[in-house]
Amino acid sequence: MNDSTSPGPPAGAAADWTIPQDWARYTADEHRVWDTLFARQGALLPGRVAPEFLDGLDVLKLSKPGIPDFDELSEVLTKRTGWRVVAVPGLVPEEVFFEHLANRRFPAGNFIRRADQLDYLQEPDVFHDVFGHVPLLAHPVFADYMQAYGAGGLRAMEFGAMHRLARLYWYTVEFGLVRSDEGLRIYGAGIVSSFGESRFALDDPSPNRLRFDLARVLRTKYRIDDFQQTYFVVDSFEKLLHTTLNTDFAPLYEALADQPDLEITDILPDDKVYHRGTQAYADGKLQAAE
Ligand code: HBI
Ligand code: FE
């Protein structure tokens, strides 16, 4: 009996919205799109991306040409961190998504963008999900964070705090940066899988880069249709996991209830600022839009 608020699974999908990946169905063109995207990011990411991401690519043998077979991927991944990759037709309702993460199942789109859409993505496709998200699931600490996030998401729904957990996901799992001895590094899947944003996120003077603070992120709005205008930097994956596991979210939600949301480009007096953005990109876009 599914919750009346969310639609049931589409035809052909199981109650948890999973579908067969049907790997044999992919065409040579679709495999070629994956190879093109992989080659572009593979050339761009070394020196930009957290080294743990590259280790994940390596361990999961993702440099093998063509769209990965989720069963093969899950074989290796479960031995490492207990995670599996399951195929879904696209975005799934929040509670279905959290339930999968809480059980160490990563729901990955089984479709890939067209060759004329390399840089534009409506919904997370197999390249965003598998190239962007899966390599870090081979890293034990990050794998535990993702499971803790899923469990936290299920609890957040009871507090009506889903929108806050969505922000935490957005500013870490999707668009997070991490500190390293050599400087800031990318780890968010939304950046890692994007040719343009893999450079913008680290090099462009436009966006803010602020030190991650849980309460701060839970108050901060985000946008889904363009490059981010603020990135949050975690000290390490260990600290991100520790914070998530050791925070009692209920009193935190209480405390945040009467604090106003923060605009995307806001910088607070007690923010630790790695870079105060010029916001030129956003202004440029806005001018273009006017
Ligand atoms: N469904 N397949 C899929 N992939 C996602 O990344 C995803 C989702 N549903 C909801 C969702 N993400 C976000 O709302 C998260 O913040 C929960
Ligand atoms: Fe994603």
Side-chain angles (χ1 to χ4, degrees):
M1 173 63 178
N2 77 317
D3 176 348
S4 55
T5 54
S6 69
D16 64 1
W17 286 63
T18 53
I19 55 172
Q21 180 190 8
D22 197 1
W23 185 86
R25 177 181 50 79
Y26 294 124
T27 65
D29 282 349
E30 287 173 314
H31 286 301
R32 201 170 302 117
V33 169
W34 170 281
D35 292 342
T36 304
L37 291 165
F38 188 95
R40 268 192 347 177
Q41 293 311 100
L44 185 57
L45 290 175
R48 269 171 199 286
V49 72
E52 294 85 347
F53 175 86
L54 299 175
D55 297 343
L57 281 186
D58 194 26
V59 155
L60 297 172
K61 299 184 179 47
L62 278 166
S63 51
K64 180 179 160 202
I67 296 170
D69 179 319
F70 294 1
D71 290 340
E72 276 176 26
L73 209 45
S74 298
E75 274 290 302
V76 181
L77 192 56
T78 38
K79 291 193 187 81
R80 296 271 308 188
T81 57
W83 276 83
R84 288 173 37 228
V85 182
V86 293
V88 289
L91 287 172
V92 304
E94 316 282 13
E95 69 277 8
V96 172
F97 186 67
F98 288 130
E99 180 68 23
H100 279 304
L101 297 188
N103 291 282
R104 295 192 181 238
R105 292 188 301 265
F106 189 80
N110 73 330
F111 62 95
I112 193 158
R113 68 197 77 174
R114 295 197 315 269
D116 65 350
Q117 291 176 310
L118 288 190
D119 289 315
Y120 179 68
L121 201 56
Q122 202 94 25
E123 287 215 349
D125 70 343
V126 67
F127 187 76
H128 168 92
D129 279 328
V130 173
F131 180 87
H133 284 284
V134 171
L136 280 179
L137 292 177
H139 183 271
V141 173
F142 199 83
D144 288 352
Y145 170 66
M146 285 291 277
Q147 195 272 334
Y149 176 84
L154 291 172
R155 278 199 304 278
M157 298 185 73
E158 292 158 34
F159 293 100
M162 244 304 304
H163 66 296
R164 296 206 187 278
L165 258 276
R167 291 168 176 172
L168 177 58
Y169 191 81
W170 196 263
Y171 282 117
T172 57
V173 179
E174 290 297 358
F175 291 97
L177 302 180
V178 60
R179 238 182 43 189
S180 84
D181 299 342
E182 298 76 40
L184 304 188
R185 290 291 180 265
I186 298 165
Y187 73 90
I191 311 175
V192 151
S193 58
S194 158
F195 188 63
E197 200 151 3
S198 293
R199 283 167 305 181
F200 179 84
L202 290 185
D203 304 347
D204 200 290
S206 177
N208 299 328
R209 296 177 186 93
L210 310 176
R211 185 169 189 228
F212 175 88
D213 170 90
L214 181 60
R216 173 69 163 83
V217 163
L218 295 180
R219 294 178 59 195
T220 307
K221 295 177 185 172
Y222 62 88
R223 56 185 308 171
I224 60 170
D225 58 354
D226 206 338
F227 290 170
Q228 299 309 303
Q229 296 164 280
T230 290
Y231 296 99
F232 286 94
V233 184
V234 295
D235 292 342
S236 67
F237 296 141
E238 288 72 14
K239 275 191 82 175
L240 178 60
L241 174 62
H242 185 269
T243 303
T244 306
L245 289 181
N246 294 292
T247 298
D248 184 350
F249 278 78
L252 180 53
Y253 295 144
E254 287 286 305
L256 292 172
D258 49 16
Q259 293 186 35
D261 280 348
L262 296 169
E263 296 309 319
I264 297 174
T265 55
D266 284 353
I267 295 185
L268 301 182
D270 52 359
D271 278 338
K272 180 178 182 322
V273 179
Y274 285 94
H275 173 76
R276 184 177 293 272
T278 63
Q279 299 304 341
Y281 174 81
D283 298 343
K285 290 289 276 187
L286 289 178
Q287 271 148 19
E290 266 152 21

